Amino acid sequence: MAILRRIKGKLTKISKRQEKARIVKGEQKKIRGKDIPRVEKKEVLGAQETAVEKTKFYAAKAPVMPRAVPQDLPWGYGQDKIVLQVRDPWWIHAYWEVTNPTYERLKNELKNEFYGARRILRVYDVSQIIFDGKNAHRFFDIQINEHSNSWYIDTGGPGRSWCVDLGLLLPDGRFIMIVRSNTVCTPIEGPSWITDEEWMIPEDMFARLYGMGFGLGRSSPVGKGWEERVRREIISSPGVSSLASPVKKMPAEKKSWLVVNTELIVYGATEPDAKVYVQGKQVHLRHDGTFTMRFAIPNGKQVIPVKAVSSDGKEERSITPVVTKETR
Amino acid sequence: MYKGYLCLVLHSHLPYVRHPEYEDFLEEDWLYEAMTETYIPLIYTLESLSNDNIDFRLTMSLSPTLISMLSDGLLQDRYLRHINRLIELGHKEVERTRWQPAFEHLAIMYLNNFCKARDTFLRLNRNLIAAFKRFQDSGRLEIITCGATHGFLPLMDICRESARAQIKVAVSHYESVFGRKPAGIWLPECGYHPGHDEILKEAGLRYFFTDSHAVLHAAPRPKYGVFAPVYCKGTGVACFSRDLESSKQVWSSIDGYPGDYVYREFYRDIGFDLDYEYIRPYIHPDGVRINTGIKYFRITGSDNKEPYDPHRAREKAAEHAGNFMFNRERQIEYLCDFMQKKPIIVSPYDAELFGHWWYEGPLWLEFLIRKIVSDQKTIRLITPTEYLSENPRNQVITPSLSSWGWKGYSEMWLQGSNDWIYRHLHTASVRMTELAKSFPRAEGVLKRALKQALRELLLAQSSDWGFIMGTGTHTSYAVRRTKEHILRFTRLYEEIKSNSIDENWLCDIEYKDNIFPDIDYRVHQ
């Protein structure tokens, strides 16, 4: 039996630990409609920074008083252009605008061929060259539809330069360029292979510095010590206390829930220039001599002596309500 | 003998939100909350250190939009109104919790905080910037600048004139406020695009900060990783990169300090918890529940939140400060074996993390600084300027495109929800350059219109709008601000071009978007 009890105890401990882990690492939870910064299980660069920055900009959930809504922005600005921007080492973003006169001109020039043509983005790898339209290392095409005006392009190539033509691919394979973009360069996604002769740095030492720089902590004594401490601290956090709280448990994930709190309002009136004391503390009177107080009320009996003293201090009146609260 | 350095950096910024056309404007609360919970507590921290003559070093960026808001008369009046309302609520709370001692003493704590914040605000003649300026003049705080409106520069590379305007307007604004040139800059969101160091050099800035991978992925490889600054090839502007290990300890809500169960819970505010009729006068006038700043619970580690205990939290903050220092000492000792020069650990944080998000943050910072200055001899606090004068010889490389935002590049500001803004922003940039070049010496109404056009463009460029759209919740204000500034810019552009400036309307938007009164529109080229 003793063994069984011990095993049971251990299992409870383990399940509690898992519970704790779930709470700490849980998916994005909502408490009364407020977003809790989600903690990524896999570490994503900048995730915490984003979560914290978000808390600076809370906004009301419900519709706020009507504010003048600005009119819409124009769809375009009457220019033929395509602009490339880098999103990350792999992806670039293109947005473009081609005006109707340009399409009309192409229709006139290409006649029937125009209608058989496909709209494409031709993505050129122009790393380390001055691009003249013909000397790209390679290119690939992305077919786009008539209505799209922007596109995320998976270049598959960190550390390279890119240029994009928006144009028409004719059935016979000819490509008619409409607009050419700027050139952008995607960053490399790891350490550079270029090592300066004079500043040569041994591979293993760099690896250790690199690891530390990313807070991996594996190779450094710091990480381990810290991990141990955190573990100790989390485990030693205390259990549930029985203190009354103005709002009790608010299950976040259960559908059905109930919160009931009780507060007591004590109000009355006397001469506006009198002094009123509730439980021995002076209260603020309104101009008409009325007063209102509000108390969160715990279980049990509350004796609330109310005393009014006239302005000349000669007259004194007392009333003492007694209130008992019980929760079943 | 010190073996290395620690460079603590706080980045403070809020977007320009000021709506004189409304009596109450919800988003203005971002500023008021940050004032009560972050900026004023940080002033206490700095005052307390100075009063005890602690020889600390701290680097702090104050964004030009934040400085402008903190110095604005209307917002100062409104802050006073805001804090007075909170004090009134504080009094009621002390009364309401009379029979619940665990909450009553917290209500008293908040009431005291609010009263003290108001006293400090009035003592500083309503302008918190004056306090920071004084600490800078004492030589212990280094204040650096930021993008004029916190525009994310990598997505302005297509029109560098705008990146230049962001920097130059910021630098001249800094000079007018602090009476000296800024030594360095916090690039908005740590967004660095190769080549932008040229603009920094032009503006006389000596250094900037980046995230780790800007330097770790630089070419050629950095000899000392992020533990020594590098000079940008071609310009010699110094680049300090953050150390992620020390960052994580403070940023992360799991591995980091702020998630400790003893600390105050951010998400349980009486604005949401208490009876509607009772709290109604202290939430938004249209009756929408909002945060009041009074929060009674600690993180606890479960949904059944327990009352906050400030004494335990204080002890924990001291313990965490000791832990942070201990880890930095070990880190420096470890690095010393590798490096032929003294390593520097750069630890930058959002200032609003301290106090607003992590309630005990300012306390932690004070404990940390006190401990480092008096309890050990391994690390020394330093500012980038001091470091560079002591260690002028550094490696020359080209840092990589990077940011400290989500996934480390531009995706936070360039994704499905916000990529539509760039065609408008870039067109406006091109048009602004055209205007600046067409009117090299404008006067009178034309000059006012040109100045306003640049203000509108800069305001539209705040990275905050794209950021909020990117988070996907409550995006309407961010969308509205973007559209509004672009539309105002476009109308100004058209009126200037057709020589038909509507002066009444100009007056109206000058009154609404009144930032940077002395702006020089010619910097946008």
Side-chain angles (χ1 to χ4, degrees):
Chain A
M1 276 315 278
I3 292 170
L4 275 179
R5 255 207 309 279
R6 227 177 295 153
I7 291 172
K8 198 180 162 197
K10 234 177 208 165
L11 281 175
T12 325
K13 250 187 223 162
I14 289 168
S15 72
K16 267 190 191 152
R17 212 177 299 152
Q18 282 166 346
E19 176 82 351
K20 211 163 262 173
R22 190 183 60 75
I23 289 159
V24 177
K25 291 192 176 151
E27 284 300 290
Q28 183 159 7
K29 282 189 285 181
K30 293 232 173 191
I31 289 186
R32 286 204 172 175
K34 283 160 294 194
D35 296 323
I36 294 186
R38 177 182 22 216
V39 179
E40 312 279 334
K41 274 183 191 153
K42 207 181 105 207
E43 207 150 312
V44 174
L45 278 180
Q48 284 304 327
E49 290 75 354
T50 307
V52 171
E53 189 168 343
K54 209 175 150 183
T55 66
K56 295 203 299 195
F57 310 122
Y58 76 88
K61 250 193 86 137
V64 197
M65 65 170 95
R67 294 168 172 177
V69 180
Q71 62 191 93
D72 276 332
L73 296 178
W75 188 88
Y77 290 91
Q79 283 174 310
D80 293 330
K81 75 168 181 181
I82 175 165
V83 172
L84 280 192
Q85 298 201 95
V86 177
R87 195 188 81 175
D88 58 39
W90 300 272
W91 292 78
I92 56 178
H93 178 250
Y95 73 81
W96 60 87
E97 179 186 352
V98 178
T99 57
N100 278 332
T102 304
Y103 279 124
E104 290 305 318
R105 180 176 56 78
L106 286 165
K107 265 182 212 167
N108 285 336
E109 282 171 15
L110 297 169
K111 307 258 169 12
N112 278 340
E113 279 181 312
F114 180 86
Y115 297 98
R118 289 184 295 155
R119 266 172 222 204
I120 61 159
L121 295 175
R122 181 156 285 187
V123 185
Y124 302 98
D125 179 345
V126 297
S127 306
Q128 272 129 33
I129 55 166
I130 297 165
F131 183 49
D132 61 7
K134 297 187 208 72
N135 59 344
H137 301 294
R138 63 195 175 93
F139 68 82
F140 58 91
D141 290 346
I142 297 168
Q143 190 173 341
I144 52 172
N145 69 43
E146 194 175 336
H147 303 294
S148 56
N149 63 0
S150 71
W151 207 268
Y152 288 94
I153 300 166
D154 182 0
T155 65
R160 319 244 355 133
S161 299
W162 307 94
C163 182
V164 173
D165 281 350
L166 170 66
L168 299 174
L169 189 61
L170 304 183
D172 63 7
R174 272 186 300 148
F175 177 68
I176 311 287
M177 190 253 283
I178 303 173
V179 273
R180 174 161 294 164
S181 76
N182 54 311
T183 297
V184 296
C185 186
T186 46
I188 52 174
E189 54 144 335
S192 169
W193 294 107
I194 307 166
T195 45
D196 191 299
E197 286 289 301
E198 261 174 279
W199 290 79
M200 184 62 198
I201 169 169
E203 203 74 31
D204 61 334
M205 176 178 148
F206 178 77
R208 270 179 282 177
L209 282 168
Y210 184 75
M212 272 191 90
F214 270 137
L216 302 178
R218 294 257 156 68
S219 53
S220 83
V222 184
K224 279 177 212 139
W226 169 238
E227 263 170 58
E228 273 165 27
R229 268 188 100 148
V230 166
R231 210 170 296 134
R232 259 207 318 279
E233 280 156 16
I234 288 178
I235 288 166
S236 69
S237 99
V240 184
S241 102
S242 58
L243 276 166
S245 73
V247 170
K248 288 194 180 136
K249 189 175 179 180
M250 184 95 55
E253 276 141 350
K254 285 176 203 157
K255 272 183 197 144
S256 151
W257 54 278
L258 175 67
V259 176
V260 177
N261 296 301
T262 43
E263 295 196 344
L264 178 70
I265 292 173
V266 176
Y267 64 100
T270 180
E271 283 302 313
D273 58 354
K275 282 179 181 160
V276 173
Y277 301 86
V278 174
Q279 287 189 319
K281 282 188 194 166
Q282 192 175 351
V283 303
H284 173 75
L285 290 187
R286 297 192 191 91
H287 296 303
D288 62 355
T290 61
F291 61 92
T292 305
M293 302 181 76
R294 183 171 180 130
F295 305 100
I297 180 167
N299 283 337
K301 190 159 99 176
Q302 300 297 332
V303 181
I304 311 152
V306 181
K307 184 172 77 178
V309 183
S310 64
S311 57
D312 55 11
K314 284 181 183 158
E315 274 187 81
E316 205 178 294
R317 283 172 184 276
S318 290
I319 299 175
T320 304
V322 177
V323 178
T324 307
K325 183 197 163 192
E326 199 184 344
T327 308
R328 288 178 193 162
Chain B
M1 185 57 192
Y2 295 105
K3 290 179 178 164
Y5 311 97
L6 175 65
C7 177
L8 291 170
V9 187
L10 296 183
H11 166 53
S12 14
H13 161 70
L14 280 172
Y16 200 68
V17 178
R18 175 184 175 277
H19 290 274
E21 72 273 29
Y22 293 94
E23 184 54 32
D24 259 284
F25 202 87
L26 180 67
E27 285 80 358
E28 283 178 4
D29 284 9
W30 299 342
L31 174 71
Y32 311 143
E33 274 183 20
M35 286 170 76
T36 310
E37 295 172 358
T38 294
Y39 309 137
I40 289 175
L42 282 176
I43 289 173
Y44 299 150
T45 298
L46 297 175
E47 279 176 345
S48 152
L49 293 169
S50 300
N51 290 342
D52 293 344
N53 209 18
I54 305 281
D55 192 23
F56 70 89
R57 290 293 181 278
L58 183 66
T59 305
M60 196 170 174
S61 67
L62 292 166
S63 78
T65 47
L66 178 61
I67 294 175
S68 301
M69 288 192 291
L70 289 175
S71 325
D72 182 88
L74 175 80
L75 293 176
Q76 289 169 351
D77 289 348
R78 288 185 176 182
Y79 177 69
L80 198 59
R81 183 180 71 183
H82 173 90
I83 193 78
N84 279 333
R85 249 190 243 161
L86 276 181
I87 288 169
E88 189 184 293
L89 175 61
H91 279 293
K92 283 196 187 172
E93 277 300 282
V94 171
E95 193 172 280
R96 192 185 65 82
T97 53
R98 187 184 289 183
W99 301 329
Q100 296 180 312
F103 295 104
E104 188 191 18
H105 76 97
L106 292 175
I108 293 170
M109 174 187 88
Y110 283 113
L111 178 60
N112 286 340
N113 286 354
F114 297 150
C115 291
K116 214 173 137 197
R118 180 176 62 186
D119 292 348
T120 308
F121 177 69
L122 295 174
R123 169 165 61 84
L124 293 168
N125 287 323
R126 303 182 175 210
N127 193 343
L128 305 189
I129 295 300
F132 291 113
K133 180 176 188 296
R134 212 174 53 234
F135 295 120
Q136 162 146 288
D137 294 341
S138 80
R140 288 167 177 161
L141 176 70
E142 181 152 307
I143 301 174
I144 58 174
T145 191
C146 187
T149 59
H150 213 260
F152 186 65
L153 304 183
L155 295 177
M156 270 178 221
D157 190 56
I158 184 76
C159 35
R160 281 202 187 178
E161 298 84 356
S162 274
R164 184 175 292 114
Q166 282 279 344
I167 304 291
K168 288 202 167 166
V169 169
V171 167
S172 55
H173 184 253
Y174 181 102
E175 284 185 73
S176 71
V177 173
F178 296 107
R180 57 165 92 177
K181 279 180 164 294
I185 186 168
W186 178 266
L187 294 176
E189 305 291 358
C190 273
Y192 172 76
H193 191 290
H196 287 182
D197 43 296
E198 288 161 25
I199 302 169
L200 305 186
K201 190 184 181 187
E202 251 177 69
L205 294 162
R206 289 190 59 209
Y207 66 85
F208 61 100
F209 295 93
T210 59
D211 205 343
S212 315
H213 51 302
V215 164
L216 293 176
H217 298 175
R221 277 189 195 180
K223 180 170 183 182
Y224 297 127
V226 298
F227 302 106
V230 294
Y231 291 130
C232 291
K233 197 171 177 67
T235 59
V237 179
C239 166
F240 288 82
S241 261
R242 81 157 156 170
D243 162 51
L244 278 183
E245 183 162 317
S246 61
S247 282
K248 212 166 72 175
Q249 286 185 343
V250 177
W251 278 106
S252 169
S253 59
I254 297 227
D255 313 324
Y257 308 125
D260 194 284
Y261 294 164
V262 174
Y263 288 145
R264 195 195 69 171
E265 169 67 63
F266 178 80
Y267 288 106
R268 282 294 295 276
D269 191 289
I270 65 164
F272 289 89
D273 281 352
L274 292 188
D275 172 45
Y276 186 69
E277 287 309 319
Y278 171 75
I279 205 71
R280 172 117 209 209
Y282 309 100
I283 55 178
H284 196 255
D286 30 347
V288 181
R289 286 182 181 267
I290 53 170
N291 287 327
T292 60
I294 301 181
K295 304 166 200 277
Y296 288 137
F297 296 93
R298 61 187 184 85
I299 294 172
T300 315
S302 72
D303 284 344
N304 205 355
K305 303 286 179 197
E306 293 166 25
Y308 177 60
D309 179 348
H311 300 292
R312 275 183 70 198
R314 190 183 167 86
E315 280 166 23
K316 185 61 83 174
E319 187 189 320
H320 280 159
N323 175 283
F324 187 90
M325 181 177 83
F326 171 83
N327 282 339
R328 298 294 79 71
E329 286 177 85
R330 300 293 83 74
Q331 202 176 359
I332 290 285
E333 281 163 1
Y334 178 76
L335 288 165
C336 278
D337 295 341
F338 288 107
M339 295 178 54
Q340 285 86 50
K341 64 196 288 186
K342 288 181 187 170
I344 179 170
I345 297 172
V346 178
S347 303
Y349 308 103
D350 253 0
E352 294 79 14
L353 172 81
F354 294 84
H356 176 65
W357 166 248
W358 179 19
Y359 184 62
E360 298 78 7
L363 206 55
W364 174 84
L365 187 68
E366 182 176 341
F367 287 137
L368 175 66
I369 290 174
R370 283 179 185 271
K371 278 177 202 284
I372 289 179
V373 171
S374 23
D375 291 359
Q376 55 83 46
K377 289 262 174 278
T378 310
I379 40 179
R380 180 154 78 85
L381 292 171
I382 199 160
T383 62
T385 299
E386 272 180 318
Y387 179 93
L388 289 173
S389 68
E390 287 177 27
N391 305 270
R393 194 165 172 277
N394 294 295
Q395 197 182 351
V396 175
I397 63 175
T398 302
S400 170
L401 173 75
S402 54
S403 84
W404 78 346
W406 185 54
K407 294 189 182 174
Y409 297 92
S410 300
E411 191 170 346
M412 190 67 220
W413 301 272
L414 185 64
Q415 50 177 299
S417 54
N418 53 22
D419 55 19
W420 58 273
I421 66 180
Y422 296 102
R423 72 176 67 235
H424 305 289
L425 291 174
H426 294 161
T427 302
S429 292
V430 171
R431 289 176 165 184
M432 188 66 226
T433 307
E434 179 195 333
L435 292 178
K437 283 184 175 158
S438 314
F439 301 101
R441 275 176 297 276
E443 288 301 331
V445 182
L446 175 63
K447 185 176 179 185
R448 277 171 52 203
L450 288 161
K451 286 168 74 170
Q452 193 60 28
L454 182 52
R455 280 183 202 117
E456 300 296 341
L457 173 59
L458 292 173
L459 288 170
Q461 286 169 338
S462 289
S463 69
D464 310 271
W465 314 141
F467 178 89
I468 295 171
M469 291 176 213
T471 63
T473 39
H474 319 309
T475 56
S476 64
Y477 182 67
V479 171
R480 172 204 158 135
R481 286 292 300 270
T482 304
K483 286 186 177 176
E484 219 164 55
H485 295 303
I486 291 287
L487 288 168
R488 285 174 189 165
F489 174 85
T490 306
R491 182 167 162 191
L492 281 164
Y493 170 78
E494 283 163 359
E495 290 186 0
I496 292 168
K497 294 283 283 182
S498 62
N499 196 18
S500 60
I501 298 164
D502 177 348
E503 208 182 328
N504 283 335
W505 176 70
L506 177 60
C507 283
D508 182 50
I509 56 171
E510 280 175 335
Y511 161 76
K512 284 175 181 160
D513 298 329
N514 68 341
I515 195 170
F516 306 137
D518 302 321
I519 198 168
D520 179 1
Y521 67 91
R522 291 164 305 183
V523 298
H524 198 285
Q525 47 184 310

